[in-house]
Short mmCIF file of all heavy atoms in Angstrom, two decimals:
data_model
loop_
_atom_site.label_atom_id
_atom_site.label_comp_id
_atom_site.label_asym_id
_atom_site.label_seq_id
_atom_site.Cartn_x
_atom_site.Cartn_y
_atom_site.Cartn_z
N ARG A 763 -73.15 2.35 -2.63
CA ARG A 763 -72.85 2.89 -1.29
C ARG A 763 -72.65 1.77 -0.31
O ARG A 763 -71.71 1.78 0.48
CB ARG A 763 -74.04 3.78 -0.82
CG ARG A 763 -73.87 4.36 0.55
CD ARG A 763 -72.88 5.49 0.59
NE ARG A 763 -72.70 5.97 1.94
CZ ARG A 763 -71.96 7.05 2.26
NH1 ARG A 763 -71.36 7.70 1.27
NH2 ARG A 763 -71.85 7.43 3.50
N ALA A 764 -73.50 0.72 -0.33
CA ALA A 764 -73.36 -0.40 0.58
C ALA A 764 -72.03 -1.15 0.32
O ALA A 764 -71.36 -1.53 1.27
CB ALA A 764 -74.55 -1.34 0.40
N TYR A 765 -71.73 -1.33 -0.94
CA TYR A 765 -70.49 -2.02 -1.32
C TYR A 765 -69.28 -1.29 -0.79
O TYR A 765 -68.40 -1.86 -0.13
CB TYR A 765 -70.43 -2.14 -2.84
CG TYR A 765 -69.18 -2.75 -3.38
CD1 TYR A 765 -69.17 -4.13 -3.65
CD2 TYR A 765 -68.06 -2.04 -3.67
CE1 TYR A 765 -68.03 -4.74 -4.17
CE2 TYR A 765 -66.91 -2.61 -4.18
CZ TYR A 765 -66.90 -3.98 -4.44
OH TYR A 765 -65.78 -4.55 -4.93
N LEU A 766 -69.20 0.04 -1.01
CA LEU A 766 -68.04 0.82 -0.58
C LEU A 766 -67.99 0.97 0.94
O LEU A 766 -66.89 1.01 1.50
CB LEU A 766 -68.05 2.18 -1.29
CG LEU A 766 -67.85 2.14 -2.80
CD1 LEU A 766 -67.96 3.54 -3.39
CD2 LEU A 766 -66.48 1.53 -3.13
N THR A 767 -69.16 1.01 1.57
CA THR A 767 -69.17 1.05 3.03
C THR A 767 -68.61 -0.24 3.59
O THR A 767 -67.87 -0.23 4.57
CB THR A 767 -70.59 1.28 3.56
OG1 THR A 767 -71.08 2.55 3.03
CG2 THR A 767 -70.60 1.37 5.05
N SER A 768 -68.93 -1.37 2.98
CA SER A 768 -68.38 -2.64 3.42
C SER A 768 -66.87 -2.66 3.28
O SER A 768 -66.14 -3.15 4.15
CB SER A 768 -69.01 -3.81 2.62
OG SER A 768 -70.38 -3.90 2.88
N VAL A 769 -66.38 -2.11 2.17
CA VAL A 769 -64.94 -2.04 1.98
C VAL A 769 -64.29 -1.11 3.01
O VAL A 769 -63.22 -1.40 3.59
CB VAL A 769 -64.57 -1.55 0.54
CG1 VAL A 769 -63.08 -1.33 0.41
CG2 VAL A 769 -65.07 -2.55 -0.46
N ALA A 770 -64.96 -0.02 3.33
CA ALA A 770 -64.44 0.94 4.30
C ALA A 770 -64.33 0.32 5.70
O ALA A 770 -63.34 0.51 6.37
CB ALA A 770 -65.31 2.17 4.35
N VAL A 771 -65.33 -0.43 6.10
CA VAL A 771 -65.34 -0.93 7.49
C VAL A 771 -64.75 -2.32 7.63
O VAL A 771 -64.32 -2.73 8.70
CB VAL A 771 -66.76 -0.93 8.08
CG1 VAL A 771 -67.34 0.48 8.11
CG2 VAL A 771 -67.68 -1.86 7.29
N ARG A 772 -64.66 -3.08 6.53
CA ARG A 772 -64.11 -4.45 6.61
C ARG A 772 -62.79 -4.64 5.85
O ARG A 772 -62.08 -5.59 6.08
CB ARG A 772 -65.15 -5.44 6.07
CG ARG A 772 -66.44 -5.54 6.90
CD ARG A 772 -67.46 -6.40 6.17
NE ARG A 772 -66.91 -7.67 5.78
CZ ARG A 772 -67.41 -8.42 4.79
NH1 ARG A 772 -68.46 -8.02 4.12
NH2 ARG A 772 -66.84 -9.60 4.52
N GLY A 773 -62.45 -3.73 4.96
CA GLY A 773 -61.21 -3.87 4.21
C GLY A 773 -61.39 -4.53 2.85
O GLY A 773 -62.53 -4.86 2.45
N VAL A 774 -60.29 -4.79 2.18
CA VAL A 774 -60.39 -5.29 0.79
C VAL A 774 -60.87 -6.72 0.75
O VAL A 774 -61.25 -7.21 -0.33
CB VAL A 774 -59.02 -5.16 0.08
CG1 VAL A 774 -58.67 -3.71 -0.14
CG2 VAL A 774 -57.91 -5.88 0.86
N HIS A 775 -60.89 -7.44 1.88
CA HIS A 775 -61.43 -8.78 1.79
C HIS A 775 -62.96 -8.77 1.61
O HIS A 775 -63.55 -9.80 1.33
CB HIS A 775 -61.09 -9.59 3.07
CG HIS A 775 -61.74 -9.07 4.32
ND1 HIS A 775 -61.20 -8.08 5.09
CD2 HIS A 775 -62.93 -9.39 4.90
CE1 HIS A 775 -62.01 -7.82 6.10
NE2 HIS A 775 -63.05 -8.58 6.03
N ALA A 776 -63.55 -7.58 1.71
CA ALA A 776 -64.99 -7.44 1.42
C ALA A 776 -65.25 -7.28 -0.08
O ALA A 776 -66.39 -7.33 -0.51
CB ALA A 776 -65.59 -6.25 2.17
N VAL A 777 -64.19 -7.10 -0.86
CA VAL A 777 -64.33 -6.95 -2.30
C VAL A 777 -64.77 -8.28 -2.92
O VAL A 777 -64.19 -9.32 -2.61
CB VAL A 777 -63.02 -6.48 -2.94
CG1 VAL A 777 -63.12 -6.46 -4.43
CG2 VAL A 777 -62.64 -5.12 -2.41
N GLY A 778 -65.78 -8.22 -3.78
CA GLY A 778 -66.30 -9.43 -4.38
C GLY A 778 -65.59 -9.88 -5.65
O GLY A 778 -65.54 -11.07 -5.96
N GLU A 779 -65.02 -8.93 -6.40
CA GLU A 779 -64.43 -9.26 -7.68
C GLU A 779 -63.07 -9.98 -7.49
O GLU A 779 -62.17 -9.45 -6.86
CB GLU A 779 -64.19 -8.00 -8.52
CG GLU A 779 -65.46 -7.31 -8.92
CD GLU A 779 -65.98 -6.32 -7.89
OE1 GLU A 779 -65.51 -6.43 -6.74
OE2 GLU A 779 -66.79 -5.47 -8.26
N PRO A 780 -62.93 -11.20 -8.05
CA PRO A 780 -61.66 -11.93 -7.87
C PRO A 780 -60.46 -11.18 -8.40
O PRO A 780 -59.37 -11.25 -7.82
CB PRO A 780 -61.93 -13.21 -8.68
CG PRO A 780 -63.40 -13.36 -8.77
CD PRO A 780 -63.93 -11.99 -8.80
N GLN A 781 -60.62 -10.47 -9.53
CA GLN A 781 -59.48 -9.74 -10.12
C GLN A 781 -58.98 -8.62 -9.17
O GLN A 781 -57.77 -8.46 -9.01
CB GLN A 781 -59.87 -9.13 -11.48
CG GLN A 781 -58.74 -8.32 -12.12
CD GLN A 781 -59.06 -7.89 -13.52
OE1 GLN A 781 -59.61 -8.62 -14.28
NE2 GLN A 781 -58.70 -6.63 -13.86
N VAL A 782 -59.94 -7.94 -8.56
CA VAL A 782 -59.52 -6.85 -7.64
C VAL A 782 -58.91 -7.45 -6.37
O VAL A 782 -57.92 -6.92 -5.87
CB VAL A 782 -60.76 -5.96 -7.30
CG1 VAL A 782 -60.37 -4.91 -6.27
CG2 VAL A 782 -61.31 -5.33 -8.54
N ARG A 783 -59.44 -8.53 -5.90
CA ARG A 783 -58.86 -9.19 -4.72
C ARG A 783 -57.44 -9.64 -5.03
O ARG A 783 -56.53 -9.54 -4.20
CB ARG A 783 -59.73 -10.37 -4.27
CG ARG A 783 -61.05 -9.93 -3.71
CD ARG A 783 -61.92 -11.17 -3.46
NE ARG A 783 -61.37 -12.03 -2.45
CZ ARG A 783 -61.71 -11.98 -1.16
NH1 ARG A 783 -62.63 -11.08 -0.75
NH2 ARG A 783 -61.19 -12.76 -0.28
N ALA A 784 -57.24 -10.20 -6.23
CA ALA A 784 -55.90 -10.62 -6.62
C ALA A 784 -54.95 -9.45 -6.72
O ALA A 784 -53.75 -9.57 -6.38
CB ALA A 784 -55.97 -11.39 -7.93
N ALA A 785 -55.46 -8.30 -7.20
CA ALA A 785 -54.62 -7.13 -7.30
C ALA A 785 -54.09 -6.67 -5.99
O ALA A 785 -52.93 -6.29 -5.81
CB ALA A 785 -55.38 -6.00 -8.00
N PHE A 786 -54.94 -6.74 -4.97
CA PHE A 786 -54.54 -6.29 -3.63
C PHE A 786 -53.70 -7.36 -2.89
O PHE A 786 -53.19 -7.08 -1.81
CB PHE A 786 -55.74 -5.91 -2.80
CG PHE A 786 -56.24 -4.54 -3.09
CD1 PHE A 786 -57.27 -4.33 -4.00
CD2 PHE A 786 -55.68 -3.44 -2.45
CE1 PHE A 786 -57.72 -3.06 -4.28
CE2 PHE A 786 -56.14 -2.16 -2.72
CZ PHE A 786 -57.15 -1.97 -3.65
N ALA A 787 -53.58 -8.52 -3.46
CA ALA A 787 -52.70 -9.54 -2.85
C ALA A 787 -51.23 -9.16 -3.00
O ALA A 787 -50.41 -9.61 -2.24
CB ALA A 787 -52.96 -10.91 -3.45
N HIS A 788 -50.94 -8.26 -3.98
CA HIS A 788 -49.57 -7.86 -4.23
C HIS A 788 -49.33 -6.55 -3.45
O HIS A 788 -49.26 -5.47 -4.04
CB HIS A 788 -49.33 -7.60 -5.74
CG HIS A 788 -49.52 -8.82 -6.55
ND1 HIS A 788 -48.50 -9.66 -6.89
CD2 HIS A 788 -50.62 -9.36 -7.10
CE1 HIS A 788 -48.94 -10.66 -7.62
NE2 HIS A 788 -50.24 -10.48 -7.77
N ARG A 789 -49.27 -6.63 -2.10
CA ARG A 789 -49.14 -5.42 -1.31
C ARG A 789 -47.95 -5.49 -0.40
O ARG A 789 -47.50 -6.57 -0.02
CB ARG A 789 -50.44 -5.26 -0.44
CG ARG A 789 -51.68 -5.06 -1.25
CD ARG A 789 -52.78 -4.51 -0.39
NE ARG A 789 -53.10 -5.37 0.72
CZ ARG A 789 -53.96 -5.09 1.65
NH1 ARG A 789 -54.57 -3.93 1.66
NH2 ARG A 789 -54.21 -5.92 2.65
#
């Protein structure tokens, strides 16, 4: 819940996993 709330209020730069962050770089 805390993790997803951080993503909700801060955006994908709050994501900790490098692979997921790299995936969203292709936007």
Side-chain angles (χ1 to χ4, degrees):
R763 177 75 183 187
Y765 178 93
L766 293 176
T767 301
S768 296
V769 174
V771 299
R772 294 172 52 202
V774 293
H775 68 272
V777 174
E779 294 87 343
Q781 177 172 321
V782 177
R783 291 172 66 94
F786 278 95
H788 299 268
R789 298 196 299 176

